[in-house]
Amino acid sequence: MSRTLKIIGYSILTIIIIVLIAAGIYAYKLYQELSPQIDAIVNYNPPEVTQVFDRKNRLIANIYDTDCTASSSKYCGQFRFYAKYDEIPGRMIETLLAVEDTLFFEHGGVNIDAILRAGLKNIIHMRYAEGGSTLTQQLVKNILLSRQKSLERKFKEMLLSIRVEQVLTKEQILERYFNSIYFGSGYYGIKTAALGYFHKDLKELSLKEMAMLAALPKSPVHYDPTRHLGESLKRANVILERMKSLGWISESEFKEGISEVPTVYSQNLTKNKAPYVADEVLRILGPKIKDIKTGGYKIYLTLDLDYQNLAKASLKKGYENIIFRHIQKVNDYRKRHKLKPLSDEEIAAINASYQNLNGAMVVTNPHTGEILALVGGIDHAKSPFNRATQARRQLGSAIKPFIYLMALNAGYSTASHVPDAARRFDAGDGKIWQPKNYSRGFYGFVTLQYALQHSLNISTINLASAVGFNTIYKNLNDFGFYGFQKDPSVVLGSLSISPLEAAKQYSLFSNDGVIVDTYLIRKIVAKDGTTREFAPIKKEITTKDQAYLVTSILKDVVQNGTGRRAKVAGIDIAGKTGTSNDIRDAWFSAFTPSVQLIVWYGRDNNTSIGSNDAGGVIAAPVAGDFIKNLLLLDPSIDRRFKRPQGVHSATINGVHYDYTNISPLPRNNITDTDKVLF
């Protein structure tokens, strides 16, 4: 009997040895197979948020990749700011270890005691209730393995954790853990969570705030402080109790932490303060920097958020005034004919009829080309299409200052006379083009100054004819206009242009004869500190003196002409209205000594805005509103244009005219206010 037992015993021992050997061989082979996966942890490089700042280093937007349809990366859609180990406070590390892995600095990746305790609990509860994972195991699970709960996955996790501990230091493991873990509310990484929940950098966190963050990895939903503050505080207090029992915090620290109720913020960090601007940044940089949404860049713009908010408010106010004017006009008509005023339903219908009306506004520093504000539409949520940069619309009479500059450079003066009389042009295919003034009237012989001041179409056509249409076309190309048909209608603004392009072209006048490219991006700083800076290209077109002649007329446009609704007391404003055929586009291009702005309104389907909704009526007031508020924001800005030394002035028949050597005044009826050159 005893011999039989011995045989059985030897057999069992043999089987055990064979099983152990087989398990060892299997474990070794599995270890070898899994080892290459360690590279994903060793070379951990998760996506990081790209940040966009204004010229005063104020955050405009956090940009990250949300389109995971074409991405195979498991990191896609993760919103993360990366924190180096040195950025993470030692107290934050202690707070997490107290609740997640107290013996982290003592084990080799796997805590056998914890696994045995967890296994016992699982047997008692007859389910997988606890895993006993170390932080290293959690890191492996987050980066390399699935969330599936199985013995095979657990075994792989243990093997990989042991290997990770062999190739990385404890500090490196902690850095990767703190940046890979999910803290709820879309926040990946401890730095992101601190900024999101408390609006603080890591070094600014209180002990209680650290404990609240340390509670989140266990259950990001249940302990979310924006939804379940009570549960979050309760769990944080348990963590503080644990830290006190370990001797990691003092009694006074414990009491102070227990009593604190931190302020929690629920605003999403992805909220964008200037969505059209952020879209434009991606449009510019996307083709050049492939990881622009994931590379953790810091992009510094020329934009000023204060200017941006003013521009957005002025454009929205102008939009609402267009609709209000239409409602008021209908009610005035009904009142005159003793009809009932519009009902709420009828007003709602009128509002609905303006759904496809939109606008755009660009504000620049004309001397540097810096874009200070860029608004691509009335409501980005309803329509993200950027009309400031992508919509090319007919410029209308806003083209005329360029035509008049050509005439002045050809020797005409501001006081030269040009006929404002009807003309007919052959438009081809047997068609006749007969332009008309906006007023439908004719004014006989008028000066160039008067014609531009009141935006007379017929006199402009006649002036262009005298200068020569081929000369006009060539000069427009030289100025930077492109894609226009070479026919006489171009001098009345039949060419198409975007508001941003118009801002560049108008710098010819606002920047003393030198066209300066507009630019939005000042510099880009990569994660490694590499910096790329940008500067605009400038092109001299005419002299400062000649440009000022046009500016002086455009001042009159605002003071007494078609742009008078833009007038603001106490500051010089030069500007030009523009209205395309059938009032499909309404423009106002304006500048002061230190700022330039382009305002545009139109319907997205390119139909008429409405009767009498010309640029001087609906766009000019927006410019005035913006400049008025800008003076309140920045009262120190330059307010007066400086006349160059080469520009002289004289009075003819009671009217003030500026002139230069290139554009001398006529010889008759002059009262000198400066030396007149003949």
Side-chain angles (χ1 to χ4, degrees):
M1 185 70 175
S2 60
R3 188 168 181 273
T4 303
L5 289 175
K6 286 182 179 180
I7 293 173
I8 294 173
Y10 286 134
S11 299
I12 292 173
L13 180 61
T14 301
I15 292 171
I16 291 173
I17 292 172
I18 292 172
V19 169
L20 289 174
I21 292 172
I25 293 172
Y26 170 75
Y28 178 76
K29 287 183 176 180
L30 185 61
Y31 182 82
Q32 294 297 320
E33 291 174 6
L34 293 174
S35 288
Q37 297 183 33
I38 298 299
D39 285 344
I41 293 180
V42 173
N43 302 310
Y44 181 57
N45 185 31
E48 296 179 48
V49 171
T50 287
Q51 294 187 286
V52 182
F53 302 91
D54 81 341
R55 66 173 178 165
K56 297 176 181 174
N57 296 331
R58 293 173 295 189
L59 181 67
I60 293 175
N62 291 315
I63 297 173
Y64 72 114
D65 191 8
T66 58
D67 183 10
C68 298
T69 55
S71 175
S72 59
S73 171
K74 68 183 295 181
Y75 302 131
C76 183
Q78 294 186 1
F79 184 88
R80 175 188 289 102
F81 296 109
Y82 197 92
K84 295 288 188 181
Y85 180 78
D86 291 343
E87 294 180 60
I88 305 170
R91 188 64 98 192
M92 181 73 247
I93 294 172
E94 290 177 349
T95 306
L96 183 74
L97 296 185
V99 66
E100 292 288 344
D101 191 354
T102 308
L103 299 176
F104 173 74
F105 283 99
E106 299 175 25
H107 62 65
V110 177
N111 187 334
I112 300 300
D113 289 343
I115 291 175
L116 292 175
R117 287 195 303 271
L120 182 60
K121 285 186 179 181
N122 293 338
I123 293 172
I124 293 173
H125 292 91
M126 297 299 290
R127 62 183 176 86
Y128 195 92
E130 189 174 314
S133 297
T134 63
L135 284 187
T136 311
Q137 288 175 269
Q138 292 180 44
L139 176 65
V140 167
K141 179 174 62 179
N142 289 338
I143 296 180
L144 299 180
L145 303 176
S146 69
R147 294 281 178 176
Q148 178 187 7
K149 295 179 179 179
S150 68
L151 289 175
E152 181 183 7
R153 196 225 70 197
K154 193 70 177 177
F155 189 50
K156 290 180 179 179
E157 178 187 294
M158 293 168 63
L159 289 175
L160 287 168
S161 298
I162 293 170
R163 180 60 180 157
V164 167
E165 293 269 353
Q166 293 173 347
V167 296
L168 293 177
T169 66
K170 290 289 188 179
E171 290 77 14
Q172 290 172 325
I173 292 170
L174 281 172
E175 179 179 314
R176 286 156 176 75
Y177 179 86
F178 271 109
N179 285 287
S180 65
I181 204 70
Y182 181 57
F183 286 88
S185 297
Y187 304 146
Y188 285 83
I190 189 68
K191 186 174 182 177
T192 320
L195 290 169
Y197 291 122
F198 303 116
H199 288 190
K200 291 182 178 181
D201 289 328
L202 289 170
K203 62 184 179 182
E204 300 172 324
L205 293 172
S206 69
L207 180 61
K208 183 61 165 284
E209 289 166 341
M210 292 179 185
M212 292 170 72
L213 293 178
L216 286 164
K218 184 177 182 64
S219 181
V221 174
H222 185 69
Y223 297 124
D224 182 346
T226 66
R227 299 179 182 180
H228 311 291
L229 181 59
E231 292 298 320
S232 175
L233 294 171
K234 189 185 299 181
R235 178 62 177 169
N237 290 342
V238 170
I239 294 173
L240 294 177
E241 179 73 43
R242 169 70 172 161
M243 294 180 74
K244 188 185 74 167
S245 68
L246 290 169
W248 291 0
I249 60 173
S250 65
E251 182 68 27
S252 62
E253 287 176 311
F254 171 72
K255 289 181 178 179
E256 182 180 348
I258 288 289
S259 63
E260 182 186 357
V261 180
T263 300
V264 178
Y265 297 88
S266 59
Q267 294 98 324
N268 197 314
L269 284 178
T270 61
K271 188 174 181 180
N272 194 325
K273 295 179 181 177
Y276 285 111
V277 174
D279 289 352
E280 184 64 10
V281 169
L282 290 175
R283 190 180 73 84
I284 294 170
L285 296 180
K288 303 173 184 176
I289 304 175
K290 297 305 180 185
D291 64 341
I292 189 63
K293 292 184 179 181
T294 60
Y297 296 94
K298 292 188 184 299
I299 302 171
Y300 297 89
L301 305 184
T302 62
L303 196 92
D304 188 305
L305 276 176
D306 296 325
Y307 283 54
Q308 179 74 11
N309 292 333
L310 289 184
K312 184 178 178 181
S314 293
L315 191 71
K316 181 69 179 295
K317 181 179 177 181
Y319 169 82
E320 292 170 346
N321 283 340
I322 294 170
I323 301 173
F324 175 77
R325 285 180 67 254
H326 183 63
I327 292 171
Q328 190 176 46
K329 186 162 53 177
V330 173
N331 273 331
D332 288 345
Y333 173 85
R334 291 193 171 196
K335 185 177 181 180
R336 287 196 305 271
H337 292 81
K338 298 181 179 179
L339 300 172
K340 290 182 179 180
L342 288 167
S343 65
D344 291 343
E345 291 77 11
E346 289 172 317
I347 291 174
I350 290 174
N351 275 290
S353 72
Y354 279 89
Q355 287 296 307
N356 62 4
L357 175 67
N358 230 298
M361 189 168 174
V362 178
V363 181
T364 58
N365 180 325
H367 310 300
T368 64
E370 294 172 308
I371 297 172
L372 303 175
L374 188 149
V375 185
I378 303 301
D379 188 340
H380 183 273
K382 292 182 179 179
S383 174
F385 178 69
N386 195 329
R387 295 154 190 85
T389 62
Q390 296 174 281
R392 303 189 85 242
R393 303 292 289 252
Q394 287 193 353
L395 188 56
S397 292
I399 193 66
K400 290 177 182 175
F402 301 91
I403 309 302
Y404 282 73
L405 175 64
M406 296 175 202
L408 293 169
N409 285 345
Y412 288 83
S413 77
T414 57
S416 296
H417 283 81
V418 62
D420 189 66
R423 290 191 65 179
R424 294 159 64 91
F425 294 88
D426 182 2
D429 298 327
K431 297 179 180 178
I432 299 297
W433 179 55
Q434 186 171 352
K436 299 179 177 62
N437 286 325
Y438 184 76
S439 66
R440 303 295 180 180
F442 302 101
Y443 296 85
F445 277 94
V446 296
T447 63
L448 267 66
Q449 181 164 296
Y450 184 91
L452 182 54
Q453 180 181 343
H454 296 282
S455 197
L456 301 182
N457 290 338
I458 308 302
S459 52
T460 301
I461 285 284
N462 289 331
L463 177 64
S465 179
V467 172
F469 285 109
N470 286 333
T471 299
I472 298 292
Y473 305 147
K474 180 182 182 304
N475 283 336
L476 285 175
N477 276 317
D478 291 343
F479 290 175
F481 292 98
Y482 66 95
F484 58 87
Q485 294 292 324
K486 293 183 177 180
D487 64 62
S489 67
V490 74
V491 304
L492 300 184
S494 62
L495 60 77
S496 295
I497 193 171
S498 73
L500 186 60
E501 290 169 335
K504 172 186 173 181
Q505 298 306 129
Y506 258 83
S507 67
L508 170 59
F509 309 113
S510 57
N511 192 39
D512 302 325
V514 178
I515 290 179
V516 56
D517 279 349
T518 58
Y519 73 111
L520 179 63
I521 299 168
R522 259 189 320 119
K523 66 178 179 179
I524 303 171
V525 181
K527 285 191 295 185
D528 62 2
T530 303
T531 300
R532 182 183 176 188
E533 298 190 10
F534 298 83
I537 298 172
K538 298 183 178 183
K539 181 180 181 181
E540 185 173 348
I541 300 295
T542 191
T543 67
K544 181 184 296 187
D545 297 348
Q546 293 301 105
Y548 184 83
L549 291 182
V550 177
T551 297
S552 67
I553 300 175
L554 297 183
K555 278 177 58 182
D556 288 338
V557 169
V558 174
Q559 285 298 312
N560 304 299
T562 58
R564 58 189 175 276
R565 289 179 175 85
K567 190 188 306 183
V568 176
I571 188 169
D572 287 346
I573 303 173
K576 183 66 188 77
T577 56
T579 309
S580 65
N581 285 340
D582 302 322
I583 315 185
R584 294 175 179 174
D585 303 278
W587 296 81
F588 192 68
S589 304
F591 56 94
T592 73
S594 58
V595 71
Q596 177 183 281
L597 52 151
I598 307 293
V599 181
W600 169 85
Y601 286 107
R603 291 185 185 270
D604 287 334
N605 61 3
N606 205 27
T607 58
S608 177
I609 300 171
S611 61
N612 300 318
D613 287 332
V617 177
I618 65 173
V622 174
D625 184 72
F626 175 86
I627 293 171
K628 180 182 66 177
N629 288 306
L630 180 60
L631 290 177
L632 296 175
L633 175 70
D634 188 2
S636 64
I637 63 172
D638 292 340
R639 301 191 180 211
R640 301 300 176 194
F641 292 116
K642 295 179 176 66
R643 189 177 72 172
Q645 290 184 352
V647 177
H648 311 283
S649 63
T651 300
I652 303 176
N653 297 327
V655 180
H656 172 91
Y657 296 95
D658 286 326
Y659 66 94
T660 65
N661 289 344
I662 296 174
S663 306
L665 294 177
R667 292 175 178 269
N668 59 327
N669 299 323
I670 298 176
T671 302
D672 289 327
T673 58
D674 198 345
K675 183 179 180 182
V676 180
L677 301 178
F678 295 113

